[in-house]
Amino acid sequence: MYVCLCHGISDKKIMKLAEQHGISDIRGIRQVTPLGSQCGKCIRQAKEVLEMAPVNQYKKAS
């Protein structure tokens, strides 16, 4: 599913970047993608996707 329509960033891409780069917050995703730089409506959805990322699930369980 596309999270950011303006830049074509999907939930799968966010999850992949989170795993590859150990990104756990929206700031980290914005450093490697243009997410939220156009209209900004995707930020809330991207945060929800990041919360489901395995990297963050592990941190919550610890």
Side-chain angles (χ1 to χ4, degrees), residues 4-7 30 34-43:
C4 179
L5 294 174
C6 299
H7 296 289
R30 291 188 75 188
L35 182 97
S37 65
Q38 191 77 25
C39 72
K41 292 182 180 181
C42 57
I43 299 294

Side-chain angles (χ1 to χ4, degrees), residues 1-4 9-26 29-30 32-33 35 42-43 45-56:
M1 154 183 84
Y2 281 101
V3 173
C4 179
I9 300 170
S10 68
D11 57 341
K12 290 179 183 179
K13 183 170 185 172
I14 292 171
M15 295 283 253
K16 187 175 181 179
L17 288 169
E19 287 181 42
Q20 288 177 343
H21 299 284
I23 296 170
S24 61
D25 61 3
I26 201 70
I29 290 292
R30 291 188 75 188
V32 296
T33 69
L35 182 97
C42 57
I43 299 294
Q45 183 67 33
K47 285 180 182 178
E48 290 177 17
V49 170
L50 275 173
E51 287 176 6
M52 295 184 304
V55 171
N56 292 325

